[in-house]
Amino acid sequence: MRFLFTLSFLIIFSTGMAASGDVPGQGWLNPLLPIPERVALLLEAMTLEEKIQQMGNNAPAIDRLGIKEYNWWNECLHGVARNGRATVFPQAIGMAATFDEALIYEVSSAIGKEARIKFNIAQQLGNYAQYSGLTFWTPNVNIFRDPRWGRGQETYGEDPFLTSRMGVNFVKGLQGDDPRYLQAAACAKHFAVHSGPEKLRHEFDAVCSKQDLYETYLPAFKALVTEANVESVMGAYNRVYGIPACGSEFLLQEVLREDWNFQGHVVSDCGAIEDFHAHHQVTPNPIASAAMALKAGTDLNCGGVYGTHLLTAVEQGLVSEDLVDERLGKLLTTKFKLGFFDPVETLPFNSLDESLVGGEAHTELAYQMAAKSLVLLKNDNQVLPLSTDIKNLYVVGPNATSSEVLLGNYFGLAGRTYNILDGIVSNVSLGTTINYKQGVLMDHPNANPIDWSTGEAKAADACIAVMGISPAMEGEEGEAIASAALGDRPDLGLPQHQVEYLKTIKEGSDNPLIVVLTGGSPFVLPEIAEIADAIIMAWYPGQEGGRAVGDMIFGKFSPSGKLPITFPQSISQLPAYEDYSMKGRTYRYMEEAPLYPFGYGLSYTNFEILDLQLSHKKLKKGAPLRATATLRNSGNFDAENVLQLYISGYQVPFEAPNYSLKGFERIYLKAGEEKTIDFELEADDLSLYNAAGELVQPKGALTITVADQSPHLGKFQQGINALSTQVIIK
């Protein structure tokens, strides 16, 4: 197949060149030449001024060289974003809750296809605007180290292994598997040690130990570079060890280029180079900032510092034109890999049909991702699933009819969306009495004291309350317009007036109260956990989210999502937000019992883990290990579950994680069915980083635990669905 494509490519290209004639001296337009040679030819033809103008995110056209106008800034966190109609998938934190590597690959592949289709049509229209290109600043693989961070919704959660696996598959799907061309270019961001506070990000020095750097903050970036061949890496706003990340030779040269052999290009976060002199104050002026960033390894400046000041830096001898060529060469390489200089008819992605965008196949993917992302946190007395023949159902809550809570941040716009009320109503019998009142506002108490809803809700056979928050209350620095903390969540509770409203509904009523929560970060929920009969974490579930929530509530499928981040019992369990030490953070280092642990999520059926076996009881240092376990669905409901493997009990003379996730597998089992799963562990999986940031494999006993949630402290320790055994490392 590849031979046929290459042969067709040569015939088409040769015919096209014969018809139009080769442009004298423009060998970079010859797709038969190797990309490094084409890059060198194009650089030779450009003036220094032209080169520098191509190193900003909004790069102008150079007609004489066949270079079109191009804006490098594009987003596709959970669907092509900020660029009109596209399929809207669940927010990244929701996708992480699926623990489904294969599904996120399918989703990102669909996003890449939609991106190509939209790009081709935009090019035909002469639309070169921001967000219409193919270089996507996605995914965000920062660790959600503190649940107060408003942008944590963009991540894959608190665990470096889960983040790595979801991120690798997202990048592979987005970039495609063509041997010659990229379907689209992905970007690993924000490199590195970046997770709030939002209001301090332009001036903050994220201080962490070398152990935390290599054990927690860097693994996902390394995986995306070394496994997924991610095309781009974005430098963060903050400083790391006193140096701005976009000007850090340690990060961009020693770690990224030398240790990991990164071959793609580096882009600054937007305005990050200006922060060098304006906020970090590590340089005296923008000329020095431009020189610092270029020398450190930032190829593309999102912002205006390069375009305005880099020429002066060259003229003053702060940097050389040869270094400009080296940095711009990385950007041109990406353009060639995207096919920007090749005949349109030769590109393998240009035959995609525009009906794919928001079409049936991608809509179904959005539904499947939403369905698998839903986490059932509580289900007392198996109140769920509800019968579709329920006689009297009442729905309340500020988010029941909201499309805003489907979207999250960095979103596209779907041709249609299913809100949660729609999904509920579409499931019940035509004979069911069902009513809805909003009842309470989302972010502040009602102005009108008259309450007609709580009494009606109490009288119904069941009440579904769709509560929580929206992207107006959490998100990036400038987007969360209802957040006084610039997008962060200093208080993790539900707004207190929502809590009081739910208490009023439940007071004196024995009828079930089902609470559906929307949001992109954990909630502190002790009062709600006490009074609600069932709690569903729905995240920001995308265009099909309401349909998925309704179908789950009425039992069309069993919930199978797992928490990708710990829900604490109170804010007092968290270290200071500005502290970047991992001590006391996440399930890996937390010493107190959480409300709901990482990896947790209930089902409508019962599962048993049977017969955990290891390939070796004693293992030579450096050798691989296989763990085998059987999962049985011993209940009455066909369902999926996520089997998780954790390592603990490290015997080392330095701080070590309490537990580390090192494998997971999503499994579908019919009632009564069982399946045996193998987990393959390499030496690196049995190792960890010491205080110097060196990977070491400790000798002695290690505990291997297979469970369907993290084996954390507290109430979940008793009766946890888990098996453990030990291996001795010699």
Side-chain angles (χ1 to χ4, degrees), residues 466-516:
V466 188
M467 315 299 278
I469 59 176
S470 82
M473 299 175 70
E474 63 174 348
E476 194 170 0
E477 181 185 35
E479 287 194 325
I481 58 176
S483 169
L486 277 66
D488 287 336
R489 296 182 60 213
D491 180 358
L492 292 175
L494 273 182
Q496 190 58 34
H497 65 283
Q498 290 191 32
V499 175
E500 296 305 321
Y501 179 77
L502 291 173
K503 286 181 177 179
T504 302
I505 291 176
K506 191 60 180 173
E507 186 178 5
S509 173
D510 293 327
N511 293 334
L513 172 62
I514 296 117
V515 177
V516 179

Side-chain angles (χ1 to χ4, degrees), residues 460-708:
D461 294 331
C463 174
I464 301 173
V466 188
M467 315 299 278
I469 59 176
S470 82
M473 299 175 70
E474 63 174 348
E476 194 170 0
E477 181 185 35
E479 287 194 325
I481 58 176
S483 169
L486 277 66
D488 287 336
R489 296 182 60 213
D491 180 358
L492 292 175
L494 273 182
Q496 190 58 34
H497 65 283
Q498 290 191 32
V499 175
E500 296 305 321
Y501 179 77
L502 291 173
K503 286 181 177 179
T504 302
I505 291 176
K506 191 60 180 173
E507 186 178 5
S509 173
D510 293 327
N511 293 334
L513 172 62
I514 296 117
V515 177
V516 179
L517 296 171
T518 66
S521 53
F523 291 100
V524 169
L525 294 168
E527 293 176 289
I528 306 305
E530 183 69 27
I531 65 171
D533 297 279
I535 304 174
I536 300 164
M537 186 66 194
W539 314 105
Y540 299 130
Q543 67 178 64
E544 299 298 307
R547 181 159 69 104
V549 170
D551 287 357
M552 193 206 92
I553 287 174
F554 290 95
K556 285 187 176 176
F557 63 86
S558 173
S560 59
K562 302 290 184 178
L563 291 180
I565 184 166
T566 302
F567 278 41
Q569 292 197 51
S570 73
I571 202 82
S572 65
Q573 291 184 315
L574 301 176
Y577 185 18
E578 295 81 4
D579 182 1
Y580 266 73
S581 167
M582 290 306 297
K583 184 176 177 61
R585 296 191 179 281
T586 76
Y587 81 95
R588 302 181 76 216
Y589 300 96
M590 194 173 178
E591 297 295 341
E592 299 180 66
L595 181 63
Y596 299 113
F598 173 89
Y600 171 80
L602 300 175
S603 172
Y604 289 161
T605 194
N606 296 315
F607 288 99
E608 297 176 88
I609 299 171
L610 310 170
D611 194 28
L612 173 60
Q613 299 289 334
L614 301 181
S615 59
H616 300 81
K617 284 294 186 181
K618 294 183 178 180
L619 190 69
K620 185 177 179 180
K621 189 175 179 181
L625 177 70
R626 180 188 304 111
T628 302
T630 298
L631 182 68
R632 175 187 293 165
N633 181 348
S634 55
N636 300 316
F637 209 110
D638 299 348
E640 294 189 28
N641 199 1
V642 179
L643 208 55
Q644 305 157 42
L645 184 144
Y646 295 88
I647 296 179
S648 59
Y650 300 100
Q651 299 179 33
V652 290
F654 51 85
E655 293 290 332
N658 295 323
Y659 303 94
S660 291
L661 178 71
K662 293 297 180 180
F664 58 86
E665 184 82 19
R666 174 173 275 273
I667 307 157
Y668 174 79
L669 294 173
K670 294 182 178 180
E673 188 179 8
E674 63 182 47
K675 185 176 181 180
T676 299
I677 302 298
D678 290 337
F679 293 98
E680 302 291 342
L681 301 172
E682 300 299 328
D684 283 0
D685 298 317
L686 303 172
S687 304
L688 70 166
Y689 287 93
N690 64 17
E694 301 164 334
L695 188 65
V696 296
Q697 185 174 6
K699 292 184 178 181
L702 282 179
T703 299
I704 310 295
T705 301
V706 175
D708 57 7

Side-chain angles (χ1 to χ4, degrees), residues 57-58 69-77 79-86 111 114-120 122-123 127-138 151 189 234 269-270 302 409-412 476 479:
N57 63 287
N58 194 7
E69 176 185 347
Y70 185 69
N71 197 305
W72 291 80
W73 187 346
N74 306 279
E75 307 284 356
C76 68
L77 186 62
V80 178
R82 299 177 174 176
N83 189 33
R85 181 158 51 92
I111 294 170
E114 293 197 2
R116 266 289 172 175
I117 292 166
K118 291 172 67 64
F119 173 77
N120 291 341
Q123 292 285 300
N127 176 12
Y128 309 120
Q130 185 173 318
Y131 307 128
S132 66
L134 287 172
T135 45
F136 290 99
W137 294 345
T138 302
R151 295 189 74 180
K189 69 181 187 184
M234 176 181 281
D269 207 340
C270 298
C302 181
N409 67 359
Y410 286 92
F411 57 86
E476 194 170 0
E479 287 194 325

Side-chain angles (χ1 to χ4, degrees), residues 346-394:
T346 65
L347 301 178
F349 313 106
N350 288 345
S351 61
L352 294 168
D353 193 291
E354 64 182 83
S355 64
L356 280 173
V357 180
E360 183 178 345
H362 292 182
T363 297
E364 179 59 22
L365 274 177
Y367 173 79
Q368 289 297 329
M369 183 61 86
K372 293 185 180 186
S373 74
L374 302 174
V375 182
L376 182 59
L377 298 176
K378 182 180 180 182
N379 194 23
D380 274 8
N381 302 313
Q382 287 71 53
V383 65
L384 294 179
L386 294 178
S387 169
T388 57
D389 292 330
I390 188 171
K391 294 177 183 178
N392 187 352
L393 181 65
Y394 207 84

